[in-house]
Amino acid sequence: MSKWLTIDELAEYLKMGRTKLYRMAQDGEIPASKVGNQWRFDREEIDQWMKSQRPTASKMSSGGTE
């Protein structure tokens, strides 16, 4: 597979809708590059970004016991 993904390829890869991905790219919420009027996504950066979205143990805890 190619290093650079189109919006359609990314939507398939992440199992997400194109509209949501466009919005995330425009808002800078997902790593993306715009070439002309088309978005491109680096597969390695997307993989790293996805891993960074995982909840951590501290985020999942309810604050411990008191």
Side-chain angles (χ1 to χ4, degrees):
M1 289 185 109
S2 174
K3 172 183 171 73
W4 292 98
L5 302 172
T6 64
I7 193 78
D8 290 325
E9 292 167 335
L10 183 64
E12 175 70 22
Y13 185 57
L14 297 182
K15 309 294 190 253
M16 291 179 66
R18 290 177 52 208
T19 302
K20 174 69 173 171
L21 290 171
Y22 272 127
R23 191 173 302 117
M24 292 174 75
Q26 290 170 339
D27 293 344
E29 297 176 25
I30 190 168
S33 299
K34 194 165 190 183
V35 180
N37 64 348
Q38 297 184 356
W39 289 99
R40 291 292 183 265
F41 305 87
D42 182 314
R43 181 184 307 277
E44 291 176 15
E45 287 182 1
I46 293 297
D47 288 343
Q48 291 171 1
W49 175 81
M50 283 293 292
K51 289 177 184 176
S52 75
Q53 301 303 303
R54 294 178 183 163
T56 62
S58 62
K59 288 181 185 174
M60 293 176 66
S61 71
S62 60
T65 59
E66 293 185 25

